[in-house]
Amino acid sequence: MTEGPLRLAFLTGLRAGGSERQIVELAKRLSRDQFSVGIIAFGNRSALFPAAELAAERVAVLGRAHREGPARTPAPILAGRSLRLFGRYLRAVRAGHYDIVDARLFHGYVLAGLTKPLNGVPILVAGRRSLGEFKDRFGPLERGLDRLARRVPDVFVANSAAVAADTLAREGIAPSRLRVIRNGISPAQPLDPAERTAIRAGWGFGPEDIVAGAVANYRAVKGLDRLIRVVASLHAELPNLRLVLIGDGPLRGALEAQAASLGIGRIVRVNGPEPDARRLVEAFDLVVAASEAEGLPNALLEAGAAGRPVAATAAGGTVEVVEDGRTGLLVPVADEVALAGAVRKLAGDPELRARLGSAARVHVETTFGMDRMVAEYAQLYTELAERRGLR
């Protein structure tokens, strides 16, 4: 039996993405009477690292095995880096004497699952934050590692009903090993009007412009190239429509080049990552999501908390956040014409934007509260600890 607080580590990356920010918020808010919290991070220090250091009592950075960008790391180099990463992870886990590791995303639960016999951690939780189509591209080695690793966790936590259903159908995990805990969001602090004006001016846009925004990683699955084409198709009809992208990823340069090639480089801003993009969301007039697949999109929770109306593709857990016609507008995945119609409708009707945005704020605050998420995770960790005799 463990004396004192349960020792809990989150294994994650620290990109400034929605899943990573959720972990930092959870680490910050868990009761220190119940939990001693550490973060073990893939990759290198990032814009989110200072927030992680404030949220957790211990933060360890493992580095990465593969290089950034499209070029593949040569197999011998990848093998050597992977072994070093495994060694750093084992040292971090042993130094923290953890009772529970909560490993997020594919690389997290594979690393934690394959090393569990060596690291002495009694409980492993695997977090599922997205649909599993990406595994269709796996080669034999990745499929084998996945099969081995997913036998190990005590429980899998899906962040939406869509992710849970996909996990059950795709991977054959027993329902008894699966739990749904939806992401949480805190009420947004309203922007001062002068600050909102200043943010928009910093993008080069004025009070008469209609600013559509998207907060997303710059990856193909987010459909941002489709969104840029939508804005280009509407430019003649809506000359004051503007687009702001906030995120990071390998496609940033390609998106900037695409906007320029379509003649709309002047009205499109492709910005880098923000440690807390939420303060910028309220400077948008509407939020657009063109994703092809989603678990439970934090960017849309943040849009709702800020009272912004949404035009979104009905991808995965998006339909659990956006109620068509009440809190936003939903269109079929990959349907550019329908997405353009939804953007046109919101951009041209300020009263509709106000009505949908107000309903979105109420929906998000009542259904996806942060306190609810923290309480559900605390209950899960305590249940697992009691089951293992640690409490």
Side-chain angles (χ1 to χ4, degrees), residues 141-178:
L141 176 59
E142 289 170 304
R143 288 196 297 271
L145 292 174
D146 187 28
R147 281 195 299 271
L148 288 173
R150 67 179 184 242
R151 296 174 184 173
V152 180
D154 296 84
V155 67
F156 292 83
V157 178
N159 66 343
S160 71
V163 171
D166 180 76
T167 300
L168 290 174
R170 183 179 293 271
E171 300 181 4
I173 293 169
S176 60
R177 295 176 66 207
L178 187 65

Side-chain angles (χ1 to χ4, degrees), residues 12 69 78 93 112 133 154 177 191 210 229 248 334 352 355 369:
T12 179
L78 180 62
V93 168
E133 291 104 329
D154 296 84
R177 295 176 66 207
L191 279 181
I210 304 299
R229 288 195 296 271
D248 198 12
L352 177 64
R355 177 170 61 81

Side-chain angles (χ1 to χ4, degrees), residues 35-327:
F35 302 99
S36 174
V37 181
I39 293 176
I40 303 173
F42 294 115
N44 303 313
R45 290 172 179 254
S46 70
L48 197 58
F49 189 84
E53 287 190 306
L54 292 174
E57 295 154 72
R58 296 168 299 280
V59 179
V61 179
L62 304 181
R64 64 178 72 254
H66 61 84
R67 66 158 63 106
E68 291 283 318
R72 295 182 67 87
T73 303
I77 297 176
L78 180 62
R81 290 177 180 173
S82 297
L83 286 174
R84 288 195 291 273
L85 189 147
F86 271 51
R88 294 187 195 111
Y89 171 69
L90 287 173
R91 288 194 293 274
V93 168
R94 289 168 178 166
H97 303 286
Y98 293 112
D99 303 302
I100 304 170
V101 168
D102 185 337
R104 302 296 175 97
L105 308 176
F106 170 74
H107 293 95
Y109 78 76
V110 167
L111 176 58
L114 296 181
T115 59
K116 191 172 185 294
L118 305 175
N119 61 35
V121 177
I123 298 167
L124 174 59
V125 176
R128 294 298 179 86
R129 327 302 293 174
S130 65
L131 305 182
E133 291 104 329
F134 69 95
K135 295 186 178 183
D136 295 339
R137 302 187 296 273
F138 280 3
L141 176 59
E142 289 170 304
R143 288 196 297 271
L145 292 174
D146 187 28
R147 281 195 299 271
L148 288 173
R150 67 179 184 242
R151 296 174 184 173
V152 180
D154 296 84
V155 67
F156 292 83
V157 178
N159 66 343
S160 71
V163 171
D166 180 76
T167 300
L168 290 174
R170 183 179 293 271
E171 300 181 4
I173 293 169
S176 60
R177 295 176 66 207
L178 187 65
R179 183 81 61 95
V180 175
I181 300 179
R182 290 179 173 84
N183 295 353
I185 193 77
S186 299
Q189 294 296 320
L191 279 181
D192 178 88
E195 185 179 6
R196 186 175 191 270
T197 298
I199 290 171
R200 290 165 66 98
W203 294 328
F205 305 146
E208 301 304 317
D209 292 321
I210 304 299
V211 179
V215 180
N217 291 315
Y218 297 151
R219 296 184 291 120
V221 71
K222 296 299 184 179
L224 297 172
D225 58 335
R226 182 173 295 115
L227 177 53
I228 289 174
R229 288 195 296 271
V230 163
V231 171
S233 74
L234 294 172
H235 182 50
E237 180 183 352
L238 297 170
N240 64 336
L241 179 64
R242 307 290 185 257
L243 177 63
V244 173
L245 306 181
I246 298 172
D248 198 12
L251 297 182
R252 181 177 179 181
L255 294 170
E256 290 174 327
Q258 180 192 12
S261 71
L262 292 172
I264 58 169
R266 182 181 63 83
I267 65 167
V268 175
R269 298 288 177 266
V270 183
N271 295 319
E274 292 282 343
D276 185 7
R278 286 186 60 186
R279 62 179 294 274
L280 304 180
V281 171
E282 198 172 338
F284 300 152
D285 295 294
L286 63 139
V287 170
V288 189
S291 294
E292 298 171 7
E294 285 287 357
L296 191 76
N298 290 290
L300 299 188
L301 294 180
E302 292 171 353
R308 300 299 91 182
V310 172
T313 52
T318 297
V319 300
E320 298 171 45
V321 180
V322 181
E323 297 183 1
D324 187 36
R326 196 177 79 83
T327 67

